[in-house]
Structure formats: structure tokens, C-alpha cells
């Protein structure tokens, strides 16, 4: 199968996600909710690309290539929308980079700096949530204030984590009945350091 990417023809199998094909072709596609090889659902929208053929923005981590696609990954329009996605996450984020202990492992912080995102574009920052750290399993802790609800821990923890609430009030919580069975490897999936080991 052939698609066009930034004006060049690209041969793809059609069996791998678009983000995998684009990255292999050398395109720099950022993401917070996608890690190759693990279960996920598109949520952060930072990996958006534009299918020029139908004039539509699509999440590359949730889309498979299709014949006739004409993909734009690096125009100003695409970059602006990715930055907007980051700014929307920042507007509801309860941690502060200067104060957050997880800042050295935070992909959100890294991308916000890289994309020159404005922390207060959508109004004042959300109130800082303090405390609430919970021991999950052995040495692993969860700090909700750092969480962006990407869902990686929910989809890959065998019911150790779950979503609670809906919309703006939705949050990730630990399922108490499975609290001691959560694998520490989830720490490596978390894009903001909300899961950490001490």
C-alpha cells in the first residue's frame, strides 16, 4: 500500500498504526498516551497529523494507513494544533514544573518547552493539589496531581487502576482490591512521573 507523507511516497503494510509507520520513515511524531507495543487509547491528541486527502486531523496512534492517504506531519497548522493539545492538558494540570519532583521524567514538561506552549493560555492554572500520594505496591507510589489521565496505567495494569467520574471530573484511581498486584514496570509507561518508585 502506498501513501504520501509530506509530499513523498511511502510504502506501508497497512497492518501497523500510522504513528509507527511515520516514525520509522523518520517523522518526529510526539505523543504522551502512546508507547509502542502496549495497550492504549488515543487521548492526548499530541500525535495529530492531517490527512490532506479528506482535510481532516487524525490521531496517528489510533489510525491505520489507508490507500490514498496524503499525510502532513510538520506544517505550521499541524504544529499549532499539537501545541493547543499540550496547552489544554496544561490548563487542567495540577502540578507546577518548578515544584514538581517528577519534572526530570516528565514528557509533558519536555513537550511543552519544545513546543513553546503557554501554561496559562486557557486561564489561570488549576489549583495545586497537595498530598494524596498513595503507596501502590511495594516501592511504587501514585501521585494524582501529576496525572494527565492518559490511561496507560489503566489499560496495562490488569485492573490495578481504573477511571472514576466523567468529563472534567474524571480521574485515575487505584482499585483497592487489586492494589498489591500492580507491576512496577508501569512506572516506565507514565509520561509525567505520576507513578514513581522510591
Amino acid at each position: 500500500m502506498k501513501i504520501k507523507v509530506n509530499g513523498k511516497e511511502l510504502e506501508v503494510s497497512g497492518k501497523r498504526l500510522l504513528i509507527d509507520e511515520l516514525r520509522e520513515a523518520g517523522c518526529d511524531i510526539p505523543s504522551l498516551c502512546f508507547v509502542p507495543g502496549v495497550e492504549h487509547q488515543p487521548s492526548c491528541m499530541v500525535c495529530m497529523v492531517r490527512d490532506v486527502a479528506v482535510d481532516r486531523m487524525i490521531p496517528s496512534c489510533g489510525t491505520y494507513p489507508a490507500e490514498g492517504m496524503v499525510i502532513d506531519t510538520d506544517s505550521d497548522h499541524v504544529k499549532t494544533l499539537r501545541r493547543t493539545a499540550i496547552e489544554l492538558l496544561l490548563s487542567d494540570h495540577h502540578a507546577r514544573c518548578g515544584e514538581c519532583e517528577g519534572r526530570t521524567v516528565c514528557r509533558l514538561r519536555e513537550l511543552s518547552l519544545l513546543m513553546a506552549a503557554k501554561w496559562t493560555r486557557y486561564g489561570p492554572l488549576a489549583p495545586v493539589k497537595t498530598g494524596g500520594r498513595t503507596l501502590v505496591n511495594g516501592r511504587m507510589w501514585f501521585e494524582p496531581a501529576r496525572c494527565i489521565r492518559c490511561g496507560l496505567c489503566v489499560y496495562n495494569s490488569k485492573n490495578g487502576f481504573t477511571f472514576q467520574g466523567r468529563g472534567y471530573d474524571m480521574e485515575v484511581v487505584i482499585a483497592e482490591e487489586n492494589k498489591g498486584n500492580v507491576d512496577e514496570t508501569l512506572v516506565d509507561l507514565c509520561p509525567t512521573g505520576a507513578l514513581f518508585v522510591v
Side-chain angles (χ1 to χ4, degrees):
M1 175 188 307
K2 292 180 181 179
I3 64 174
K4 278 191 176 180
V5 179
N6 299 331
K8 297 179 181 177
E9 201 169 77
L10 179 66
E11 186 83 33
V12 296
S13 67
K15 297 178 181 179
R16 297 196 309 160
L17 286 166
L18 190 56
I19 191 171
D20 290 320
E21 298 284 10
L22 293 173
R23 284 179 172 176
E24 187 173 288
C27 299
D28 182 19
I29 310 294
S31 180
L32 292 167
C33 66
F34 173 79
V35 175
V38 303
E39 190 175 344
H40 79 291
Q41 291 292 328
S43 63
C44 72
M45 296 299 138
V46 180
C47 72
M48 284 189 294
V49 296
R50 181 172 172 240
D51 185 352
V52 179
V54 293
D55 192 22
R56 189 174 69 177
M57 298 299 296
I58 54 176
S60 61
C61 77
T63 306
Y64 286 90
E67 192 73 47
M69 276 185 166
V70 180
I71 301 298
D72 164 23
T73 72
D74 63 358
S75 68
D76 288 343
H77 179 64
V78 170
K79 290 176 182 176
T80 296
L81 290 177
R82 286 180 185 160
R83 183 169 62 247
T84 298
I86 290 286
E87 289 171 339
L88 285 167
L89 288 170
L90 292 173
S91 72
D92 185 34
H93 198 49
H94 296 282
R96 299 288 187 271
C97 280
E99 304 162 14
C100 178
E101 296 169 7
R103 63 187 178 276
T104 57
V105 293
C106 183
R107 180 79 173 139
L108 175 63
R109 179 179 186 270
E110 180 185 326
L111 288 178
S112 68
L113 293 172
L114 187 66
M115 297 181 184
K118 297 177 181 175
W119 282 72
T120 56
R121 179 176 175 189
Y122 294 101
L125 292 173
V128 178
K129 286 184 179 177
T130 57
R133 277 186 188 181
T134 305
L135 183 62
V136 179
N137 186 25
R139 307 174 303 139
M140 185 167 66
W141 291 79
F142 173 57
E143 186 166 350
R146 301 182 195 173
C147 179
I148 59 168
R149 302 178 291 279
C150 70
L152 285 170
C153 63
V154 174
Y155 305 127
N156 294 281
S157 66
K158 298 178 182 176
N159 300 316
F161 289 90
T162 186
F163 288 119
Q164 178 178 285
R166 295 177 66 84
Y168 182 81
D169 295 321
M170 186 179 73
E171 57 185 359
V172 172
V173 296
I174 301 166
E176 289 297 324
E177 64 273 18
N178 295 313
K179 196 171 179 181
N181 301 317
V182 180
D183 196 319
E184 284 186 10
T185 57
L186 287 176
V187 170
D188 296 329
L189 300 183
C190 183
T192 61
L195 285 174
F196 58 98
V197 171
V198 291

